[in-house]
Structures are given as C-alpha cells and as structure tokens.
Amino acid sequence: MTTEVLKITGDPAENERVIEKAARIIRGGGLVAIPTETVYGLAGSALLETSAEKIYAAKGRPADNPLIVHVARPEEAEDFARPGPLYFRLAKRFMPGPLTVILEKTDRIPSTVTAGLGTVAVRCPSNPVARRLIEVSGHPIAAPSANRSGSPSPTAAEHVYADMNGRIEMIVDGGPCEIGLESTVVRPDGDDACTVLRPGAVTPEMLAEVCREVRIAPAVVEPSLAADGTPESPGMKYRHYAPKAEVVLINASHAKFLEYVREHASGKYGVMIPNEDAGYFGGGMMLLTGNRGDAKEASRRLFSLLRRADEAGLETIYAELPEPEGETLALYNRIIRAAGSKILTLGSGRT
Ligand code: AMP
Ligand code: MG
C-alpha cells in the first residue's frame, strides 16, 4: 500500500478537500493518521469491526488494548454509549479538549473496538482538523496513537510516516501537536467521583473543580503495578513509550543529577535537560526540554526527544525524575514507562 501524505495549509478550500478525501477513506473502512491536540491518531470508523482490526494490525497492537472513540460534539456519545450526569459536567468544562471519559457502551460499537469490554472510552478533540474530519465522515472515529506499538507516540507527521508508511492509506499533516502527551483518561465512579486511569493535560486538580472526589489509579504512579499488578485500564500493563536507548531516570536534586551524569556518562549518550543547562556538558547529545520549569514545553517535546535519541543511535539517555503531581504528573507517568520503571535515587532524592 502507498501512504499518501497531505498537508494542512493556509488555504481553507484546499484543506476541506483533504478532509473530504480522508473522510471517504474512513467511511470506506480504511485508515488515516490525523493530527489532534494531544498526539497523532490512527483513525478508522468506530462503527466498522474491520476498521478496528486493521488498526490493531497496522500498530502491531495487542487486541486486548481498547481504542478511544472520538466524536465531533460531546453529546454524540449518546449515539453509542450511556453517559451519566458527570460525563456532561466534565464535557462542559473540558470538551473539546484532552480528556477521555470511560462510559458504558451500547451494541452500536463493535466489541473489537473496546477489546470485548462493556465500556467505551470517549473523547472530543479540540484540534479543528480532527473535529471537522469526524463531522464530515459522519462516523464516530476510533483512534489510538498513530505509532507502532511500543514506540513513542507521534507528535509530528514525520513520526507517523516513520512508523506507518506502507501500512495505512493516508497521513494528514497538520504540523506539530500542541500538547504532545496523550489525553487524560478518567472513569466516573457514580455522579460525583472519578478515577484517573491515565494522566494527561487535564490534571487531577482541574478535575476536582467539577468532581468532589478525584482518585488516581495506583498504576499511574507505581511502576511495579503497571508491570505485574492488575491494571484498571488495559493499556497500563504494556511497556509503552519505549525508546531503543536505555533511559536512566534519576531521582536527585538538580545539582546532583548534573554532577552524576558528568561523572558517569560514557559511550553514545544523551541528557534531557532544560535549555539553561545546555552549556554544562562537554560531550553527549543535549536533549533540550525547554525553559526550566516549563512543564508544558517539556511535555510537548518528550516523545520527539525520545525519537531523536533513537535516530542518533544513542545507547543511554539520562533524565531527571519529574514530580509525580500537578502539571508534571503526566510527564512522570510517561517517563517511568520509557525507563522501563527503573529509577536511580541519589542522596535523599529530589529534595
Ligand atoms: P491510545 O489509544 O494509545 O491513546 O490508548 C488508549 C488508552 O485508553 C489505553 O491506555 C487504553 O487501555 C485506555 N482505554 C480505552 N478504552 C478503555 C476502557 N473501556 N476502559 C479503560 N481504559 C480504556
Ligand atoms: Mg498509544
């Protein structure tokens, strides 16, 4: 199969033609990679069993890891799920945007999409190209991240091309993703409590604005549970986001982290550091995370830095362990998985 790459440009009429072409492919049961505000998605119709099967095959993804269903408007969830009052409160505050909500499903969604679960994950993306495409296709869209299973999620069309060329019909290039980490996944527990199954740009603190009790699933912050516990979200049991290089994640003060890397790093290595520290090291590859303390920029860059490290053939990547809370909770969750859950603590850790 040849994979066509079509760019979103400043020309609205041309963009509409690209979107219509993509929508035709989706209605016909084919696959198109699309930009969203979180990461690129591998889109197929959520109403066709064969599309879901093709998605699993293209990704090389285990078929027991369910897909997120994307809608153009939050209320469209009623076409295939049974949303309760909390869904609508969350939708009013956070949709369109980087939030996925787990709902009870109806028979309209084939069980391949949800990997046999009685629930379905629903999200309404804010990226205008993604929303218009869902609208024009007239189908809810199943879209996991558009990477091969086990490699970092794609945050640019080039990443998708590297993983998916020859496996899907088309890639819509909408430029780099604004957020760069996958959506927050929450499960409502009754009408006024919810559990975060995967952290993202919508933080637990933000969720607490509309929901009295916000729990965080243990696997989000405890790497060992993700590996051999019983995860509440099937996706959490896989070694995800893994670059080829070994990620050495260091729990230490910033000064101790820099000192350790300078003393111990050898071979082909890279260091994930803020821009301000770029001049500190004589050798190695500097994987710059943005200005120090800018969690949004560090999140935006994480996956592309991991890909760049692989392209450069790095053997080791040194990174500082982020705080497992607030704006850096999602970054923490992704990076412990990239590191295969190994953390090196120096002294008394971060503090
Ligand atoms: P991705 O499609 O790569 O963004 O991953 C989707 C994530 O949502 C995975 O971690 C899935 O396990 C999770 N997910 C999807 N559907 C469900 C569901 N019905 N219940 C719990 N988690 C889900
Ligand atoms: Mg994924």
Side-chain angles (χ1 to χ4, degrees):
M1 181 187 310
T2 0
T3 302
E4 193 179 8
V5 183
L6 295 177
K7 260 194 169 42
I8 294 297
T9 61
D11 178 352
E14 178 55 25
N15 294 342
E16 194 63 15
R17 277 193 291 279
V18 171
I19 287 170
E20 271 163 19
K21 189 165 186 186
R24 271 199 303 279
I25 294 173
I26 287 171
R27 276 194 301 269
L31 304 184
V32 179
I34 61 167
T36 84
E37 69 278 19
T38 56
V39 302
Y40 272 74
L42 182 54
S45 169
L47 302 178
L48 304 172
E49 195 169 328
T50 49
S51 296
E53 283 161 4
K54 284 186 199 167
I55 289 174
Y56 289 114
K59 279 180 68 74
R61 178 174 183 146
D64 66 345
N65 192 2
L67 309 175
I68 293 174
V69 176
H70 293 66
V71 292
R73 277 173 298 276
E75 54 276 18
E76 288 167 14
E78 290 179 302
D79 298 344
F80 55 84
R82 294 186 227 285
L86 181 55
Y87 171 78
F88 290 103
R89 289 214 313 276
L90 289 167
K92 195 163 173 225
R93 172 73 173 80
F94 301 112
M95 292 184 190
L99 180 71
T100 297
V101 184
I102 308 296
L103 299 174
E104 191 188 326
K105 82 184 265 297
T106 69
D107 292 343
R108 269 202 91 198
I109 297 286
S111 62
T112 41
V113 170
T114 61
L117 296 178
T119 52
V120 58
V122 182
R123 169 163 126 77
C124 176
S126 64
N127 179 294
V129 176
R131 285 185 80 196
R132 181 73 188 139
L133 177 58
I134 302 166
E135 198 170 67
V136 174
S137 75
H139 287 223
I141 284 181
S145 50
N147 53 294
R148 290 277 293 164
S149 199
S151 67
S153 290
T155 54
E158 300 75 49
H159 303 162
V160 181
Y161 189 82
D163 279 19
M164 292 294 166
N165 182 28
R167 297 177 172 272
I168 61 177
E169 279 82 354
M170 182 173 159
I171 297 169
V172 178
D173 180 354
C177 299
E178 207 181 303
I179 293 173
L181 296 181
E182 305 86 342
S183 61
T184 303
V185 179
V186 297
R187 182 192 59 214
D189 303 317
D191 288 344
D192 214 11
C194 69
T195 302
V196 176
L197 302 180
R198 178 175 74 185
V202 174
T203 63
E205 292 76 11
M206 289 160 74
L207 291 165
E209 290 168 24
V210 291
C211 185
R212 192 180 43 82
E213 194 184 342
V214 180
R215 291 181 278 250
I216 297 173
V220 166
V221 284
E222 285 169 28
S224 56
L225 238 186
D228 41 53
T230 341
E232 295 179 76
S233 182
M236 295 197 294
K237 74 182 169 206
Y238 298 105
R239 178 160 184 248
H240 243 191
Y241 324 112
K244 294 181 195 87
E246 186 193 6
V247 179
V248 178
L249 198 48
I250 299 177
N251 179 19
S253 68
H254 187 62
K256 273 224 159 60
F257 163 74
L258 293 176
E259 194 185 298
Y260 179 89
V261 177
R262 197 149 71 171
E263 280 172 17
H264 294 83
S266 63
K268 294 192 80 176
Y269 71 92
V271 198
M272 278 201 185
I273 38 166
N275 300 347
E276 289 86 339
D277 295 319
Y280 187 84
F281 296 96
M285 185 175 178
M286 297 302 108
L287 302 166
L288 300 179
T289 56
N291 290 335
R292 188 156 180 204
D294 187 344
K296 287 197 172 75
E297 186 60 29
S299 301
R300 197 175 291 134
R301 292 187 189 189
L302 176 70
F303 289 142
S304 73
L305 290 177
L306 294 178
R307 281 184 182 256
R308 203 188 301 162
D310 276 348
E311 280 160 22
L314 298 187
E315 293 154 357
T316 319
I317 302 167
Y318 293 92
E320 231 173 318
L321 184 71
E323 294 278 353
E325 58 190 38
E327 267 201 307
T328 55
L329 176 64
L331 199 55
Y332 176 93
N333 169 270
R334 304 311 189 274
I335 216 164
I336 58 174
R337 277 159 180 72
S341 301
K342 295 182 304 291
I343 296 169
L344 177 64
T345 299
L346 305 176
S348 52
R350 228 181 285 98
T351 46

